[in-house]
Amino acid sequence: MFSYVPPVEDYRFLLSEVLSFDVVMAEMGKDVDTDLAIAVLEEAGKMCAERLHPLNRHGDEAGSRLIDGEVHTPAGYPDAWADFVNAGWPSLSASPEYGGQGLPFVLQLWLDEMMSATNLSFALFPGLTRGACEAIMVHADEALRTTYVPPMISGEWTGAMALTESGAGTDLALLKTKAEPQGDGSWMITGTKIFISSGDHDFGGNVVHLVLARLPDAPDGVRGISLFLVPKYLPDAEGRFTVRNTMSVGALEKKMGIHAQPTCVMNYDGATGWLVGEAHKGLAAMFTMMNAERLMVGIQGLGIAGGAYVQAASYAKERLQGRSADGAHGPVAIIEHADVRRMLLNIRAFVEAGRALAGWTALQLDRAHSHPDAAERVRADALVALLTPVVKAAFTDMGFESAVQAQQVFGGHGYIREWGMEQYVRDARIAQIYEGTNGVQAMDLVARKLAMANGAVVESFFDLVCGDLNIGPSTKVGEKTREALALLREATAALRGAAVDAAGAASVDYLRLFALVAMGWMWTRMAGAARNGTAQHQAKLAVADFFADKILPQAHSLAAAIAAGEKSVTALATDAF
């Protein structure tokens, strides 16, 4: 396995030349500039390359284990967590009000990318904790916030969310976990949850679960769901968290990948918990956490692709096989073969555009939280909501495809454990499934997000893209993106208000088309910035041309599939399957 190379110079290019980072920070009155941001990202890259990447294969092979009811993560993980916490990484973008550093979210998202590239199992611990903190800060009362948020932000405690039950996955209306009042403001939670990532571990400290359950008087359906904070440890008489709550790990799921991550079956046997937000309105509170997690999961796909690319490109430049294209000499490094270059460029074209789009989206989230203009905060928040299902689904689909292509570059060596490529493929697969499957994300985009503000949000995004396409000299990628945007506008008009079957038949293709346009937009911006003839800029222009020639033409076939409608999807009788 080759060493991981953090993409710090690409981050520098994006911040300084594409995303106008210093200008955005100045607008929000933040005392952060590109130099500080790069210094943070450099340290983050070192931590990922030197601390997390060496643990990845061992963690995969050893896995987390359940021994006498206690979770044991692979050797080295508790120490790595302690180092991660002592360096202050859990608090990077968290609110200073609760002990966070308050740095821009774009730095957090790119830290997530590098952690996912080097050790996805580890990356889930801080990511889930951050999402739980978001929900608690937005919806819980002051007592819960001041008690639980600061130690979660510091990394002393961790978080998890407990939604799924064996009979209630995406359809949360079917969940059966119960909550009964105990007369002192707390509730008794009884039920079993499955697929609970980071449900327990041996890092020390508390594990704070956010659990969906039903009150005794709960109405049927999702309107009857409430959210509860259920900690592993309860306070004793002196306020120290030493009393074991009546919750336990019944089993660890045996999974295709992310073996070092303890994915738990959790039993709540009359466990003590506290209501977060209003009764019967837990789903809205939980979606605060889930929306944050969906962005994080999209970045997992991006990170996997970037990490796999580093390995595959390094291998392709060293592996000797075959003769040169003109047959004059050999063996040559396989990077000389057109098909190998095609696969590597497919990955790189996604990774660099995805990294840019992730950065742009993260800056919109920063604007939504901190911009002095209330109207600008609302606008930015709506754009993040629109792009969240696109980032989650497209990045994880393309991340998995990239991992498979990187594995293919290795040939037979990619199929064996030694090089780490088969682990990338196995680990990447879950990101397409959890936090709402990618089909659900596509339906969310078509059925809900296109309708926001009566379609004004998506139209404002299209106008933003179109405005950038009209700035500066014409480029190949800009012209191809303009064509794809026209197709996307037509598809959007056709799907607005579509019936359920029509929306469902088109939604996955539509989301892919949307993602291609968004990435073409980013490549147009990057190509426009790459004008000074440096090696980095020349490489950007070359990959932008590849994206225009080899990837953006997919927009036409996607548009044709969308226009074909739902008839061929619904025609086959159910019994014929």
Side-chain angles (χ1 to χ4, degrees), residues 183-528:
D184 60 356
S186 68
W187 297 77
M188 185 168 64
I189 312 299
T190 303
T192 297
K193 301 285 186 177
I194 63 172
F195 305 158
I196 310 306
S197 300
S198 301
D200 201 5
H201 51 70
D202 53 353
F203 298 169
N206 218 340
V207 184
V208 180
H209 287 216
L210 293 183
V211 183
L212 289 180
R214 292 187 181 280
L215 277 59
D217 61 345
D220 293 335
V222 294
R223 292 177 301 168
I225 297 172
S226 299
L227 181 64
F228 296 87
L229 186 155
V230 185
K232 178 179 178 179
Y233 292 106
L234 301 167
D236 58 23
E238 297 179 357
R240 297 173 301 179
F241 284 78
T242 61
V243 179
R244 191 71 163 82
N245 206 348
T246 51
M247 54 191 278
S248 61
V249 181
L252 293 182
E253 307 285 6
K254 300 186 186 305
K255 312 183 296 283
M256 176 179 176
I258 56 169
H259 292 156
Q261 169 59 220
T263 306
C264 303
V265 175
M266 293 300 307
N267 297 320
Y268 304 94
D269 300 311
T272 298
W274 288 268
L275 184 65
V276 175
E278 298 181 44
H280 313 316
K281 295 186 178 180
L283 197 59
M286 182 59 83
F287 267 108
T288 297
M289 181 176 185
M290 284 198 69
N291 285 332
E293 297 303 320
R294 284 173 175 173
L295 281 177
M296 181 192 76
V297 170
I299 301 309
Q300 290 172 12
L302 175 64
I304 287 279
Y309 174 84
V310 169
Q311 299 294 314
S314 298
Y315 180 83
K317 288 185 279 190
E318 291 191 4
R319 174 70 167 168
L320 301 178
Q321 186 119 354
R323 302 190 66 79
S324 60
D326 61 7
H329 58 279
V332 296
I334 62 172
I335 192 71
E336 298 297 328
H337 301 316
D339 187 55
V340 172
R341 298 173 71 88
R342 177 191 61 81
M343 290 187 286
L344 291 173
L345 283 165
N346 271 335
I347 303 169
R348 183 163 173 171
F350 157 57
V351 168
E352 293 186 7
R355 186 175 291 142
L357 185 60
W360 186 88
T361 305
L363 286 174
Q364 298 310 303
L365 198 57
D366 285 322
R367 295 167 76 91
H369 289 162
S370 304
H371 200 279
D373 185 339
E376 182 60 25
R377 292 197 299 271
V378 170
R379 187 194 75 88
D381 189 61
L383 287 171
V384 172
L386 173 68
L387 286 171
T388 293
V390 179
V391 169
K392 194 283 181 184
F395 282 24
T396 57
D397 279 347
M398 294 178 184
F400 179 73
E401 293 161 13
S402 295
V404 171
Q405 288 186 93
Q407 183 187 39
Q408 190 76 10
V409 169
F410 280 78
H413 290 289
Y415 197 69
I416 62 174
R417 180 160 292 180
E418 177 184 356
W419 291 96
M421 304 312 294
E422 57 87 31
Q423 183 187 346
Y424 273 126
V425 172
R426 289 185 289 105
D427 285 354
R429 187 64 183 91
I430 185 57
Q432 297 169 285
I433 298 172
Y434 58 17
E435 305 302 344
T437 65
N438 286 357
V440 169
Q441 303 303 315
M443 279 300 292
D444 177 49
L445 176 64
V446 170
R448 295 185 181 90
K449 299 303 169 60
L450 296 187
M452 288 193 302
N454 293 318
V457 174
V458 70
E459 290 300 328
S460 71
F461 177 75
F462 293 160
D463 290 344
L464 185 63
V465 174
C466 190
D468 279 353
L469 295 178
N470 292 331
I471 295 174
S474 176
T475 61
K476 181 190 294 185
V477 72
E479 290 306 311
K480 296 288 187 180
T481 301
R482 194 189 308 277
E483 293 176 14
L485 176 60
L487 295 171
L488 180 60
R489 283 188 184 272
E490 291 176 13
T492 303
L495 288 175
R496 189 171 284 125
V500 173
D501 279 347
S507 60
V508 169
D509 290 328
Y510 179 85
L511 187 145
R512 186 80 168 210
L513 176 58
F514 198 114
L516 289 180
V517 169
M519 287 189 282
W521 172 43
M522 286 294 114
W523 271 118
T524 301
R525 293 182 66 158
M526 288 188 284

Side-chain angles (χ1 to χ4, degrees), residues 3-16:
S3 298
Y4 174 68
V5 181
V8 175
E9 288 309 307
D10 204 29
Y11 295 144
R12 189 192 304 275
F13 169 73
L14 292 173
L15 292 175
S16 62

